[in-house]
Amino acid sequence: KYVVFKIDLESEAIVVESAGPKKATLETFKALLPYTECRYAVYDHEYKTVDGRIADKLFFLSWMPHNATPHAKMAYASGKAMLRQVLEGVLDVNCADVDELNAAFGIDEALVSDDDGNPDDW
């Protein structure tokens, strides 16, 4: 479902930090993204189309939160090209917070929120 990568400070190599099973949820994936450190990730986002079919999109995420150090942001910006070369056919997304992530993945907050049938929610 997802693979999260980080830059190893000692070797300066891009390494796998964690990987999730096919049954993993988006919330589990979001919880792995640190608030003060950059990461790369590949996420297989499954969704239901308007006609009821199950479909999926593969995203390459550059996670660069506002709280990350300028040095880390520069390192991740320059390392992105190397990783991106081996990932063909994925949609490129840059995000700094979870709200941007939801928008980039095309998640409608109305579908995610708890719908109690209140007409004010429509």
Short mmCIF file of all heavy atoms in Angstrom, two decimals, residues 14-72:
data_model
loop_
_atom_site.label_atom_id
_atom_site.label_comp_id
_atom_site.label_asym_id
_atom_site.label_seq_id
_atom_site.Cartn_x
_atom_site.Cartn_y
_atom_site.Cartn_z
N ILE A 14 19.32 7.06 0.03
CA ILE A 14 17.88 7.01 0.25
C ILE A 14 17.53 5.57 0.63
O ILE A 14 17.81 4.64 -0.13
CB ILE A 14 17.11 7.45 -1.01
CG1 ILE A 14 17.47 8.90 -1.36
CG2 ILE A 14 15.61 7.30 -0.80
CD1 ILE A 14 16.94 9.37 -2.69
N VAL A 15 16.96 5.40 1.82
CA VAL A 15 16.67 4.07 2.34
C VAL A 15 15.18 3.95 2.68
O VAL A 15 14.50 4.94 2.94
CB VAL A 15 17.52 3.75 3.59
CG1 VAL A 15 19.00 3.72 3.24
CG2 VAL A 15 17.26 4.74 4.71
N VAL A 16 14.69 2.72 2.71
CA VAL A 16 13.30 2.46 3.09
C VAL A 16 13.20 2.57 4.61
O VAL A 16 13.93 1.91 5.34
CB VAL A 16 12.85 1.07 2.62
CG1 VAL A 16 11.47 0.74 3.16
CG2 VAL A 16 12.86 0.99 1.10
N GLU A 17 12.28 3.41 5.06
CA GLU A 17 12.04 3.56 6.49
C GLU A 17 10.93 2.62 6.95
O GLU A 17 11.02 2.00 8.01
CB GLU A 17 11.67 5.00 6.83
CG GLU A 17 11.43 5.23 8.29
CD GLU A 17 11.11 6.67 8.62
OE1 GLU A 17 10.20 7.24 7.97
OE2 GLU A 17 11.75 7.21 9.51
N SER A 18 9.87 2.51 6.15
CA SER A 18 8.77 1.61 6.50
C SER A 18 7.97 1.28 5.25
O SER A 18 7.99 2.00 4.26
CB SER A 18 7.86 2.23 7.56
OG SER A 18 7.29 3.43 7.08
N ALA A 19 7.26 0.17 5.34
CA ALA A 19 6.39 -0.27 4.24
C ALA A 19 5.12 -0.82 4.86
O ALA A 19 5.15 -1.42 5.94
CB ALA A 19 7.08 -1.33 3.39
N GLY A 20 4.01 -0.59 4.18
CA GLY A 20 2.72 -1.03 4.71
C GLY A 20 2.08 -2.10 3.84
O GLY A 20 2.25 -2.10 2.63
N PRO A 21 1.34 -2.99 4.46
CA PRO A 21 0.64 -4.04 3.72
C PRO A 21 -0.50 -3.47 2.88
O PRO A 21 -0.93 -2.33 3.08
CB PRO A 21 0.10 -4.95 4.83
CG PRO A 21 -0.06 -4.05 6.00
CD PRO A 21 1.03 -3.03 5.89
N LYS A 22 -1.00 -4.24 1.96
CA LYS A 22 -2.07 -3.80 1.06
C LYS A 22 -3.32 -3.35 1.83
O LYS A 22 -4.04 -2.48 1.39
CB LYS A 22 -2.42 -4.94 0.09
CG LYS A 22 -3.40 -4.58 -0.97
CD LYS A 22 -2.82 -3.59 -1.97
CE LYS A 22 -3.82 -3.31 -3.08
NZ LYS A 22 -3.50 -2.13 -3.82
N LYS A 23 -3.56 -3.91 2.99
CA LYS A 23 -4.75 -3.58 3.78
C LYS A 23 -4.56 -2.33 4.66
O LYS A 23 -5.46 -1.93 5.37
CB LYS A 23 -5.14 -4.75 4.69
CG LYS A 23 -5.49 -6.01 3.93
CD LYS A 23 -6.85 -5.92 3.34
CE LYS A 23 -7.22 -7.24 2.66
NZ LYS A 23 -8.37 -7.13 1.84
N ALA A 24 -3.38 -1.70 4.62
CA ALA A 24 -3.12 -0.52 5.44
C ALA A 24 -4.03 0.63 5.03
O ALA A 24 -4.44 0.74 3.88
CB ALA A 24 -1.66 -0.11 5.31
N THR A 25 -4.33 1.48 5.98
CA THR A 25 -5.24 2.61 5.73
C THR A 25 -4.45 3.89 5.47
O THR A 25 -3.27 4.00 5.80
CB THR A 25 -6.17 2.85 6.93
OG1 THR A 25 -5.37 3.26 8.04
CG2 THR A 25 -6.96 1.59 7.27
N LEU A 26 -5.15 4.86 4.91
CA LEU A 26 -4.55 6.17 4.69
C LEU A 26 -4.18 6.82 6.02
O LEU A 26 -3.15 7.48 6.13
CB LEU A 26 -5.51 7.07 3.89
CG LEU A 26 -5.03 8.48 3.60
CD1 LEU A 26 -3.75 8.46 2.76
CD2 LEU A 26 -6.11 9.27 2.88
N GLU A 27 -4.98 6.62 7.03
CA GLU A 27 -4.69 7.19 8.35
C GLU A 27 -3.39 6.62 8.93
O GLU A 27 -2.61 7.35 9.55
CB GLU A 27 -5.86 6.96 9.32
CG GLU A 27 -7.13 7.67 8.91
CD GLU A 27 -6.95 9.16 8.65
OE1 GLU A 27 -6.29 9.83 9.47
OE2 GLU A 27 -7.44 9.64 7.63
N THR A 28 -3.16 5.34 8.73
CA THR A 28 -1.91 4.71 9.16
C THR A 28 -0.73 5.35 8.44
O THR A 28 0.30 5.67 9.05
CB THR A 28 -1.92 3.20 8.89
OG1 THR A 28 -3.05 2.63 9.54
CG2 THR A 28 -0.65 2.54 9.37
N PHE A 29 -0.88 5.56 7.14
CA PHE A 29 0.16 6.18 6.34
C PHE A 29 0.45 7.61 6.81
O PHE A 29 1.60 8.00 7.02
CB PHE A 29 -0.25 6.18 4.86
CG PHE A 29 0.65 6.98 3.97
CD1 PHE A 29 1.94 6.56 3.70
CD2 PHE A 29 0.20 8.14 3.37
CE1 PHE A 29 2.78 7.29 2.88
CE2 PHE A 29 1.02 8.87 2.54
CZ PHE A 29 2.31 8.45 2.29
N LYS A 30 -0.60 8.39 7.03
CA LYS A 30 -0.43 9.78 7.49
C LYS A 30 0.29 9.84 8.83
O LYS A 30 1.10 10.74 9.07
CB LYS A 30 -1.79 10.46 7.64
CG LYS A 30 -2.48 10.78 6.35
CD LYS A 30 -3.82 11.43 6.67
CE LYS A 30 -4.70 11.59 5.50
NZ LYS A 30 -6.01 12.17 5.87
N ALA A 31 0.02 8.88 9.71
CA ALA A 31 0.65 8.86 11.03
C ALA A 31 2.16 8.65 10.95
O ALA A 31 2.89 9.02 11.88
CB ALA A 31 0.01 7.78 11.90
N LEU A 32 2.64 8.08 9.87
CA LEU A 32 4.07 7.84 9.71
C LEU A 32 4.84 9.07 9.23
O LEU A 32 6.07 9.09 9.28
CB LEU A 32 4.30 6.71 8.71
CG LEU A 32 3.84 5.33 9.14
CD1 LEU A 32 3.96 4.35 8.00
CD2 LEU A 32 4.64 4.86 10.33
N LEU A 33 4.15 10.08 8.77
CA LEU A 33 4.81 11.28 8.25
C LEU A 33 5.11 12.23 9.40
O LEU A 33 4.20 12.75 10.03
CB LEU A 33 3.91 11.95 7.20
CG LEU A 33 3.58 11.07 5.99
CD1 LEU A 33 2.56 11.76 5.10
CD2 LEU A 33 4.83 10.71 5.21
N PRO A 34 6.39 12.47 9.67
CA PRO A 34 6.75 13.31 10.82
C PRO A 34 6.45 14.79 10.57
O PRO A 34 6.45 15.25 9.44
CB PRO A 34 8.26 13.08 10.97
CG PRO A 34 8.72 12.58 9.65
CD PRO A 34 7.56 11.92 8.99
N TYR A 35 6.21 15.52 11.65
CA TYR A 35 5.86 16.94 11.55
C TYR A 35 7.09 17.83 11.35
O TYR A 35 6.94 18.98 10.95
CB TYR A 35 5.12 17.39 12.81
CG TYR A 35 3.73 16.82 12.91
CD1 TYR A 35 3.44 15.84 13.85
CD2 TYR A 35 2.72 17.24 12.06
CE1 TYR A 35 2.17 15.30 13.93
CE2 TYR A 35 1.45 16.71 12.14
CZ TYR A 35 1.18 15.74 13.07
OH TYR A 35 -0.07 15.21 13.16
N THR A 36 8.28 17.32 11.64
CA THR A 36 9.46 18.17 11.57
C THR A 36 10.56 17.62 10.66
O THR A 36 11.64 18.19 10.60
CB THR A 36 10.06 18.38 12.97
OG1 THR A 36 10.40 17.11 13.51
CG2 THR A 36 9.09 19.10 13.88
N GLU A 37 10.29 16.50 9.98
CA GLU A 37 11.30 15.90 9.12
C GLU A 37 10.72 15.61 7.74
O GLU A 37 9.55 15.27 7.61
CB GLU A 37 11.82 14.60 9.73
CG GLU A 37 12.51 14.79 11.06
CD GLU A 37 12.91 13.47 11.68
OE1 GLU A 37 13.07 12.48 10.94
OE2 GLU A 37 13.05 13.43 12.91
N CYS A 38 11.56 15.71 6.73
CA CYS A 38 11.15 15.43 5.35
C CYS A 38 11.17 13.92 5.09
O CYS A 38 11.91 13.18 5.74
CB CYS A 38 12.09 16.13 4.37
SG CYS A 38 12.12 17.92 4.54
N ARG A 39 10.39 13.51 4.12
CA ARG A 39 10.36 12.12 3.69
C ARG A 39 9.93 12.07 2.23
O ARG A 39 9.34 13.01 1.69
CB ARG A 39 9.35 11.28 4.50
CG ARG A 39 9.69 11.08 5.95
CD ARG A 39 10.91 10.17 6.13
NE ARG A 39 11.15 9.85 7.51
CZ ARG A 39 11.92 10.56 8.33
NH1 ARG A 39 12.51 11.66 7.91
NH2 ARG A 39 12.12 10.18 9.57
N TYR A 40 10.19 10.93 1.60
CA TYR A 40 9.59 10.58 0.31
C TYR A 40 8.67 9.40 0.59
O TYR A 40 8.89 8.63 1.52
CB TYR A 40 10.64 10.11 -0.70
CG TYR A 40 11.76 11.04 -0.99
CD1 TYR A 40 13.07 10.69 -0.68
CD2 TYR A 40 11.54 12.27 -1.60
CE1 TYR A 40 14.13 11.53 -0.97
CE2 TYR A 40 12.59 13.12 -1.89
CZ TYR A 40 13.88 12.75 -1.57
OH TYR A 40 14.92 13.57 -1.85
N ALA A 41 7.65 9.24 -0.24
CA ALA A 41 6.78 8.09 -0.07
C ALA A 41 6.13 7.75 -1.40
O ALA A 41 5.94 8.60 -2.27
CB ALA A 41 5.70 8.37 0.97
N VAL A 42 5.80 6.49 -1.55
CA VAL A 42 4.96 6.03 -2.65
C VAL A 42 3.72 5.44 -2.00
O VAL A 42 3.83 4.61 -1.09
CB VAL A 42 5.69 4.97 -3.51
CG1 VAL A 42 4.77 4.42 -4.58
CG2 VAL A 42 6.95 5.56 -4.14
N TYR A 43 2.56 5.90 -2.45
CA TYR A 43 1.31 5.48 -1.84
C TYR A 43 0.33 5.04 -2.92
O TYR A 43 0.10 5.76 -3.89
CB TYR A 43 0.69 6.63 -1.02
CG TYR A 43 -0.58 6.23 -0.32
CD1 TYR A 43 -0.54 5.44 0.82
CD2 TYR A 43 -1.82 6.61 -0.81
CE1 TYR A 43 -1.71 5.06 1.46
CE2 TYR A 43 -2.99 6.23 -0.17
CZ TYR A 43 -2.92 5.45 0.97
OH TYR A 43 -4.08 5.06 1.59
N ASP A 44 -0.25 3.87 -2.74
CA ASP A 44 -1.26 3.33 -3.66
C ASP A 44 -2.63 3.69 -3.08
O ASP A 44 -3.09 3.07 -2.13
CB ASP A 44 -1.09 1.82 -3.77
CG ASP A 44 -2.04 1.19 -4.77
OD1 ASP A 44 -2.74 1.93 -5.49
OD2 ASP A 44 -2.08 -0.06 -4.84
N HIS A 45 -3.24 4.74 -3.65
CA HIS A 45 -4.50 5.26 -3.12
C HIS A 45 -5.68 4.60 -3.84
O HIS A 45 -5.85 4.75 -5.03
CB HIS A 45 -4.57 6.76 -3.29
CG HIS A 45 -5.83 7.37 -2.77
ND1 HIS A 45 -6.20 7.27 -1.45
CD2 HIS A 45 -6.80 8.09 -3.38
CE1 HIS A 45 -7.35 7.90 -1.28
NE2 HIS A 45 -7.74 8.39 -2.43
N GLU A 46 -6.47 3.85 -3.07
CA GLU A 46 -7.65 3.17 -3.62
C GLU A 46 -8.88 4.02 -3.34
O GLU A 46 -9.04 4.55 -2.24
CB GLU A 46 -7.79 1.80 -2.97
CG GLU A 46 -8.84 0.94 -3.61
CD GLU A 46 -8.82 -0.46 -3.01
OE1 GLU A 46 -7.97 -1.26 -3.41
OE2 GLU A 46 -9.68 -0.73 -2.15
N TYR A 47 -9.76 4.14 -4.33
CA TYR A 47 -10.96 4.95 -4.17
C TYR A 47 -12.08 4.36 -5.03
O TYR A 47 -11.85 3.51 -5.88
CB TYR A 47 -10.70 6.41 -4.56
CG TYR A 47 -10.28 6.57 -6.01
CD1 TYR A 47 -11.21 6.94 -6.98
CD2 TYR A 47 -8.97 6.36 -6.41
CE1 TYR A 47 -10.83 7.08 -8.30
CE2 TYR A 47 -8.59 6.49 -7.72
CZ TYR A 47 -9.53 6.86 -8.67
OH TYR A 47 -9.15 6.99 -9.97
N LYS A 48 -13.28 4.83 -4.76
CA LYS A 48 -14.45 4.37 -5.52
C LYS A 48 -14.86 5.47 -6.49
O LYS A 48 -15.02 6.63 -6.10
CB LYS A 48 -15.61 4.05 -4.58
CG LYS A 48 -16.76 3.32 -5.27
CD LYS A 48 -17.87 2.96 -4.31
CE LYS A 48 -17.42 1.79 -3.48
NZ LYS A 48 -18.52 1.18 -2.71
N THR A 49 -15.03 5.12 -7.76
CA THR A 49 -15.43 6.09 -8.77
C THR A 49 -16.92 6.40 -8.63
O THR A 49 -17.64 5.72 -7.90
CB THR A 49 -15.15 5.55 -10.19
OG1 THR A 49 -15.94 4.37 -10.39
CG2 THR A 49 -13.68 5.23 -10.39
N VAL A 50 -17.38 7.44 -9.33
CA VAL A 50 -18.78 7.84 -9.22
C VAL A 50 -19.73 6.74 -9.70
O VAL A 50 -20.88 6.69 -9.26
CB VAL A 50 -19.06 9.14 -10.00
CG1 VAL A 50 -18.36 10.31 -9.33
CG2 VAL A 50 -18.65 9.03 -11.45
N ASP A 51 -19.24 5.86 -10.59
CA ASP A 51 -20.10 4.77 -11.05
C ASP A 51 -19.94 3.50 -10.21
O ASP A 51 -20.44 2.44 -10.57
CB ASP A 51 -19.87 4.48 -12.53
CG ASP A 51 -18.46 4.04 -12.84
OD1 ASP A 51 -17.61 4.07 -11.95
OD2 ASP A 51 -18.20 3.67 -14.01
N GLY A 52 -19.22 3.61 -9.06
CA GLY A 52 -19.15 2.50 -8.12
C GLY A 52 -17.97 1.56 -8.29
O GLY A 52 -17.83 0.61 -7.53
N ARG A 53 -17.12 1.78 -9.30
CA ARG A 53 -15.97 0.90 -9.50
C ARG A 53 -14.85 1.25 -8.52
O ARG A 53 -14.68 2.38 -8.13
CB ARG A 53 -15.41 1.05 -10.92
CG ARG A 53 -16.33 0.56 -12.01
CD ARG A 53 -15.72 0.77 -13.40
NE ARG A 53 -15.57 2.21 -13.67
CZ ARG A 53 -14.41 2.81 -13.91
NH1 ARG A 53 -13.29 2.14 -13.92
NH2 ARG A 53 -14.37 4.11 -14.15
N ILE A 54 -14.08 0.23 -8.14
CA ILE A 54 -12.89 0.45 -7.32
C ILE A 54 -11.72 0.72 -8.28
O ILE A 54 -11.49 -0.03 -9.21
CB ILE A 54 -12.57 -0.78 -6.45
CG1 ILE A 54 -13.73 -1.09 -5.51
CG2 ILE A 54 -11.27 -0.59 -5.68
CD1 ILE A 54 -13.97 -0.03 -4.46
N ALA A 55 -11.01 1.82 -8.02
CA ALA A 55 -9.86 2.19 -8.84
C ALA A 55 -8.73 2.61 -7.90
O ALA A 55 -8.94 2.76 -6.69
CB ALA A 55 -10.23 3.33 -9.78
N ASP A 56 -7.54 2.75 -8.45
CA ASP A 56 -6.44 3.21 -7.63
C ASP A 56 -5.48 4.07 -8.44
O ASP A 56 -5.43 3.98 -9.66
CB ASP A 56 -5.70 2.06 -6.95
CG ASP A 56 -5.04 1.11 -7.93
OD1 ASP A 56 -5.54 0.99 -9.05
OD2 ASP A 56 -4.04 0.49 -7.55
N LYS A 57 -4.75 4.92 -7.71
CA LYS A 57 -3.72 5.79 -8.29
C LYS A 57 -2.47 5.61 -7.45
O LYS A 57 -2.54 5.49 -6.23
CB LYS A 57 -4.14 7.26 -8.25
CG LYS A 57 -5.27 7.62 -9.18
CD LYS A 57 -5.56 9.11 -9.10
CE LYS A 57 -6.75 9.48 -9.97
NZ LYS A 57 -7.07 10.90 -9.87
N LEU A 58 -1.34 5.63 -8.12
CA LEU A 58 -0.06 5.52 -7.43
C LEU A 58 0.58 6.90 -7.36
O LEU A 58 0.79 7.55 -8.38
CB LEU A 58 0.83 4.54 -8.20
CG LEU A 58 1.98 3.90 -7.48
CD1 LEU A 58 1.51 3.15 -6.23
CD2 LEU A 58 2.70 2.95 -8.40
N PHE A 59 0.86 7.37 -6.14
CA PHE A 59 1.41 8.70 -5.91
C PHE A 59 2.84 8.62 -5.41
O PHE A 59 3.17 7.76 -4.59
CB PHE A 59 0.60 9.45 -4.85
CG PHE A 59 -0.77 9.86 -5.30
CD1 PHE A 59 -1.87 9.06 -5.05
CD2 PHE A 59 -0.96 11.07 -5.97
CE1 PHE A 59 -3.14 9.45 -5.46
CE2 PHE A 59 -2.22 11.46 -6.37
CZ PHE A 59 -3.31 10.65 -6.12
N PHE A 60 3.69 9.53 -5.90
CA PHE A 60 5.01 9.76 -5.32
C PHE A 60 4.92 11.05 -4.53
O PHE A 60 4.63 12.11 -5.08
CB PHE A 60 6.09 9.87 -6.40
CG PHE A 60 7.43 10.25 -5.83
CD1 PHE A 60 8.16 9.35 -5.10
CD2 PHE A 60 7.93 11.53 -6.01
CE1 PHE A 60 9.39 9.70 -4.55
CE2 PHE A 60 9.15 11.90 -5.47
CZ PHE A 60 9.88 10.98 -4.74
N LEU A 61 5.14 10.97 -3.23
CA LEU A 61 4.97 12.11 -2.33
C LEU A 61 6.32 12.64 -1.88
O LEU A 61 7.16 11.88 -1.39
CB LEU A 61 4.16 11.67 -1.11
CG LEU A 61 4.05 12.65 0.05
CD1 LEU A 61 3.25 13.89 -0.35
CD2 LEU A 61 3.43 11.98 1.26
N SER A 62 6.51 13.94 -2.04
CA SER A 62 7.63 14.64 -1.41
C SER A 62 7.05 15.35 -0.20
O SER A 62 6.30 16.32 -0.34
CB SER A 62 8.23 15.67 -2.36
OG SER A 62 8.83 15.04 -3.46
N TRP A 63 7.36 14.84 0.98
CA TRP A 63 6.83 15.37 2.23
C TRP A 63 7.86 16.33 2.81
O TRP A 63 8.94 15.91 3.24
CB TRP A 63 6.54 14.23 3.20
CG TRP A 63 6.06 14.65 4.54
CD1 TRP A 63 6.78 14.67 5.69
CD2 TRP A 63 4.75 15.10 4.88
NE1 TRP A 63 5.99 15.10 6.72
CE2 TRP A 63 4.73 15.37 6.25
CE3 TRP A 63 3.58 15.30 4.14
CZ2 TRP A 63 3.60 15.82 6.91
CZ3 TRP A 63 2.45 15.75 4.80
CH2 TRP A 63 2.47 16.01 6.17
N MET A 64 7.56 17.62 2.79
CA MET A 64 8.47 18.63 3.31
C MET A 64 7.70 19.60 4.21
O MET A 64 7.26 20.66 3.75
CB MET A 64 9.15 19.38 2.17
CG MET A 64 10.02 18.48 1.33
SD MET A 64 10.99 19.41 0.18
CE MET A 64 11.60 18.08 -0.83
N PRO A 65 7.51 19.22 5.46
CA PRO A 65 6.72 20.07 6.37
C PRO A 65 7.38 21.42 6.62
O PRO A 65 8.60 21.56 6.51
CB PRO A 65 6.64 19.24 7.65
CG PRO A 65 7.75 18.27 7.58
CD PRO A 65 8.04 18.04 6.13
N HIS A 66 6.58 22.39 6.96
CA HIS A 66 7.07 23.74 7.21
C HIS A 66 8.08 23.77 8.35
O HIS A 66 8.97 24.62 8.38
CB HIS A 66 5.92 24.69 7.53
CG HIS A 66 4.92 24.80 6.42
ND1 HIS A 66 5.23 25.32 5.18
CD2 HIS A 66 3.62 24.42 6.34
CE1 HIS A 66 4.16 25.28 4.39
NE2 HIS A 66 3.18 24.73 5.07
N ASN A 67 7.97 22.84 9.30
CA ASN A 67 8.85 22.81 10.47
C ASN A 67 10.21 22.18 10.19
O ASN A 67 11.08 22.19 11.04
CB ASN A 67 8.20 22.02 11.61
CG ASN A 67 6.87 22.57 12.02
OD1 ASN A 67 6.34 23.46 11.39
ND2 ASN A 67 6.33 22.04 13.09
N ALA A 68 10.40 21.58 9.01
CA ALA A 68 11.68 20.94 8.68
C ALA A 68 12.76 22.00 8.52
O ALA A 68 12.48 23.14 8.15
CB ALA A 68 11.54 20.13 7.40
N THR A 69 13.98 21.61 8.78
CA THR A 69 15.10 22.56 8.66
C THR A 69 15.36 22.87 7.18
O THR A 69 15.10 22.04 6.31
CB THR A 69 16.39 21.97 9.26
OG1 THR A 69 16.77 20.82 8.50
CG2 THR A 69 16.20 21.60 10.72
N PRO A 70 15.86 24.06 6.89
CA PRO A 70 16.20 24.40 5.51
C PRO A 70 17.20 23.42 4.90
O PRO A 70 17.11 23.08 3.72
CB PRO A 70 16.79 25.81 5.61
CG PRO A 70 16.18 26.38 6.84
CD PRO A 70 16.03 25.22 7.79
N HIS A 71 18.14 22.94 5.72
CA HIS A 71 19.12 21.97 5.22
C HIS A 71 18.44 20.68 4.77
O HIS A 71 18.75 20.13 3.71
CB HIS A 71 20.16 21.67 6.32
CG HIS A 71 21.13 20.60 5.94
ND1 HIS A 71 22.08 20.77 4.96
CD2 HIS A 71 21.28 19.34 6.40
CE1 HIS A 71 22.77 19.65 4.84
NE2 HIS A 71 22.30 18.77 5.71
N ALA A 72 17.49 20.19 5.56
CA ALA A 72 16.76 18.97 5.21
C ALA A 72 15.94 19.17 3.94
O ALA A 72 15.92 18.31 3.06
CB ALA A 72 15.86 18.54 6.36
#
